[in-house]
Amino acid sequence: MGQSFDISLESLRARSVARPGAAADIVSAASRDGGATFFLETFGCQMNDHDSEKVAGVLLSRGYRQVETPDAASLILYNTCSIREKAAQKVFSRLGEYRTKQSEGQIIGVLGCLAQQEGQEIFKRAPWVSLVCGSASYRKLPELLEQLETGNHRVTGLDTDTDETFETEITRRDNPWRAYLTIIEGCDKACAYCVVPYTRGPERSRASESVLKEVRQVAGLGYSEVQLLGQTVNSYADPSSRQMPFADLLLAVADVPGIRRVRFTTSHPRDFTPDIVAAIEAEPKICNHVHLPVQSGSTRVLQGMQRTYTRDEYLDKVAMIRSAKRPTSITTDIIVGFPGETEADFEETLSLLDVVRFDGMFAFKYSPRPNTPALSMRDPIAEEEKSRRLAVMLEKQRHIQAARQETLVGETFELLVSGKSRRENQWSGHTSCHRVLNFTSQERELLGTYVQVHITSAGPNGLMGEHVT
Ligand code: 5AD
Ligand code: SF4
């Protein structure tokens, strides 16, 4: 769902970060000598994507060269996701494909949430793996790599008891138009279904000055759009003596010369305060899009989920955002089939969609996860019933979105152009409110520039427009 939105937070598409053309132009010693090489594939969310950019930076600075295929690599790394069972299974099946690699002299490492969740078990299930490291231990990666390089075959970084964040000197940025910056790691919420507090450890915020220094750095590299990341980005608590509130940080980032757009994701409804709305209203550089996962429209289910807000409290936050002078799009995540969710609870979520009319939605079937409180909850919902509810939910949202998009025909939006189609004169880009638009233009080169686009039609493949010159 949400096909006109580009926020596939948990899309389980696997991505390799071996792509040329990133901002940091690093020529490593190894690339000149044809020495150690790495292949890195990423599963899961934007936090993982960005962690991979930093891991790649660490490897490049140690003289490794990045390659496009696992076969060409001396070190094969998987940055994994375990948010739902399917994501975890996918990693194990990928590992199965590489069972012969260790005997061929290649080193295989598992990073990220599945590494943290399974720990030493990974060595049992896939004995050809040599490195298992969760995200809270990435600071130790240079040490762990050294151990691997000196012939150690079982290396782990599994500590989550840390107050450190993973800051690197070099980040090998993969997205040429948008720079990601983590401002808060881990999660202190305790949603009953969620494995993240276990796999990513406790909440740790980065000092505001360190964030601003990185923003100045990426602006210097030519980035004009930055996206601040955190599992609960708006729970940011500046640990430095400045104690800069999240809304002030947004404003300070927007103030950095060269920055034209500031995004942030994911927001937790409980910590979504009026000063954030005021900042969006006051500063057009702060993007008018809020990803605000509701998870369920039933207060009873929200309580079972330990989401710390009721249906009405969520609706109050939506009303606060909608009352701003600047129209702001709101997208969400929903889980269907949480243990004990009755038909009446489900109907309440459907009715919430009617009330809010989200601009985009990701919906998931509840997936029981290890080490979560919901695992032991009674009254599970049958898989077929979860599938039915998911299909009904997606269909409803499809109608809502189609109707919303119709109303945009005739409007003009500013786009950051990020794609060029193979078809002549066809381009794509995203608006501040995070809609993806396809448009026609006679210009020869538009990638990375800002253009005005007039929307001419809305169809099943999203919004179409024309470049206004
Ligand atoms: N089952 C299904 N969906 C989940 N999410 C998190 N944990 C689970 C789970 N156990 C969803 C939530 C969250 C999004 C990133 O993934 O909707 O917002
Ligand atoms: Fe998981 Fe809830 Fe934390 Fe989000 S806020 S990462 S859903 S525990």
Side-chain angles (χ1 to χ4, degrees):
M1 211 52 273
Q3 88 266 48
S4 63
F5 277 83
D6 176 23
I7 47 163
S8 46
L9 209 82
E10 294 300 340
S11 76
L12 299 179
R13 201 164 35 95
R15 296 170 293 282
S16 152
V17 296
R19 258 211 277 140
D25 184 20
I26 302 151
V27 182
S28 68
S31 69
R32 286 192 296 269
D33 315 340
T37 50
F38 74 98
F39 170 81
L40 172 56
E41 185 174 355
T42 308
F43 299 80
C45 64
Q46 281 164 329
M47 293 283 285
N48 264 13
D49 278 342
H50 183 46
D51 280 346
S52 285
E53 293 181 331
K54 293 192 277 183
V55 167
V58 169
L59 287 159
L60 290 164
S61 66
R62 286 186 70 81
Y64 284 76
R65 181 168 56 92
Q66 192 163 10
V67 292
E68 307 252 352
T69 61
D71 288 339
S74 49
L75 174 63
I76 302 172
L77 293 176
Y78 294 106
N79 189 1
T80 63
C81 171
S82 67
I83 195 105
R84 284 170 290 276
E85 177 61 24
K86 250 195 199 155
Q89 274 167 3
K90 198 163 176 172
V91 176
F92 277 116
S93 83
R94 183 68 98 249
L95 285 177
E97 291 167 25
Y98 291 99
R99 57 168 63 229
T100 58
K101 295 291 179 197
Q102 194 185 39
S103 56
E104 291 165 16
Q106 288 173 299
I107 294 171
I108 300 178
V110 181
L111 311 177
C113 291
L114 192 73
Q116 192 67 52
Q117 181 190 297
E118 297 292 320
Q120 306 271 355
E121 277 298 305
I122 292 193
F123 295 135
K124 286 196 202 139
R125 281 184 73 170
W128 51 95
V129 169
S130 302
L131 167 70
V132 174
C133 180
S135 66
S137 304
Y138 289 162
R139 294 238 330 186
K140 286 203 202 117
L141 264 180
E143 244 171 77
L144 301 178
L145 287 168
E146 206 169 292
Q147 290 173 29
L148 286 174
E149 285 155 11
T150 52
N152 205 324
H153 290 303
R154 285 275 190 273
V155 176
T156 57
L158 293 169
D159 217 1
T160 51
D161 183 19
T162 175
D163 53 8
E164 287 173 345
T165 52
F166 178 38
E167 294 177 37
T168 51
E169 284 300 310
I170 303 168
T171 299
R172 192 269 189 214
R173 295 194 184 274
D174 191 44
N175 185 323
W177 322 118
R178 178 184 301 165
Y180 293 101
L181 276 86
T182 303
I183 65 162
I184 170 169
E185 290 180 17
C187 181
D188 274 356
K189 306 283 187 287
C191 302
Y193 51 80
C194 188
V195 78
V196 166
Y198 181 79
T199 56
R200 285 189 168 268
E203 215 167 85
R204 288 103 61 204
S205 291
R206 236 172 112 179
S208 51
E209 190 40 50
S210 157
V211 174
L212 291 168
K213 186 174 156 211
E214 193 178 348
V215 174
R216 290 192 287 269
Q217 193 186 45
V218 298
L221 287 168
Y223 284 95
S224 60
E225 182 173 303
V226 292
Q227 178 155 337
L228 309 184
L229 295 176
Q231 300 294 338
T232 54
V233 73
N234 57 325
S235 310
Y236 175 79
D238 184 2
S240 72
S241 57
R242 287 170 89 175
Q243 299 191 337
M244 191 181 273
F246 175 66
D248 290 5
L249 181 66
L250 291 176
L251 291 164
V253 171
D255 232 21
V256 171
I259 296 301
R260 281 182 68 159
R261 282 185 176 179
V262 185
R263 300 189 180 283
F264 54 98
T265 201
T266 293
S267 295
H268 192 286
R270 200 192 62 189
D271 298 335
F272 208 86
T273 44
D275 57 341
I276 305 173
V277 178
I280 295 174
E281 219 169 17
E283 175 51 88
K285 289 182 192 169
I286 302 176
C287 291
N288 52 343
H289 166 226
V290 179
H291 186 59
L292 200 68
V294 64
Q295 313 296 2
S296 169
S298 151
T299 295
R300 208 182 64 82
V301 172
L302 288 170
Q303 268 164 3
M305 289 178 164
Q306 291 166 208
R307 282 293 286 180
T308 69
Y309 54 83
T310 63
R311 173 192 174 97
D312 285 345
E313 283 164 350
Y314 183 87
L315 290 175
D316 286 347
K317 302 282 174 174
V318 169
M320 175 176 81
I321 297 167
R322 292 261 161 90
S323 71
K325 284 193 279 298
R326 199 167 156 220
T328 297
S329 54
I330 305 177
T331 55
T332 204
D333 292 343
I334 288 194
I335 298 176
V336 297
F338 185 75
E341 183 190 67
T342 62
E343 187 60 30
D345 292 320
F346 174 65
E347 295 280 338
E348 283 204 65
T349 307
L350 291 176
S351 89
L352 184 104
L353 296 197
D354 278 328
V355 175
V356 178
R357 298 182 71 75
F358 290 107
D359 295 276
M361 176 190 88
F362 294 96
F364 311 98
K365 290 191 274 184
Y366 167 71
S367 167
R369 306 310 297 132
N371 307 304
T372 58
L375 196 61
S376 55
M377 284 183 185
R378 295 220 311 267
D379 209 6
I381 312 290
E383 208 47 39
E384 309 80 72
E385 179 57 14
K386 285 189 210 166
S387 301
R388 186 193 69 81
R389 290 182 190 177
L390 181 66
V392 172
M393 189 72 64
L394 292 173
E395 186 56 15
K396 182 165 196 69
Q397 178 62 16
R398 201 175 63 77
H399 283 290
I400 292 171
Q401 254 170 258
R404 267 189 88 71
Q405 289 191 4
E406 282 293 330
T407 66
L408 300 174
V409 176
E411 285 194 33
T412 299
F413 284 94
E414 185 189 68
L415 252 66
L416 170 53
V417 185
S418 52
K420 184 178 198 299
S421 162
R422 260 169 298 176
R423 299 221 309 275
E424 216 178 325
N425 304 333
Q426 296 272 353
W427 305 81
S428 62
H430 48 275
T431 64
S432 170
C433 58
H434 222 203
R435 289 199 165 80
V436 175
L437 256 71
N438 297 310
F439 68 99
T440 52
S441 173
Q442 305 308 318
E443 296 290 323
R444 292 181 68 94
E445 192 44 74
L446 290 175
L447 284 175
T449 64
Y450 289 81
V451 297
Q452 297 291 321
V453 172
H454 180 76
I455 299 187
T456 49
S457 68
N461 299 323
L463 295 164
M464 281 296 304
E466 278 167 8
H467 184 186
V468 185
T469 44

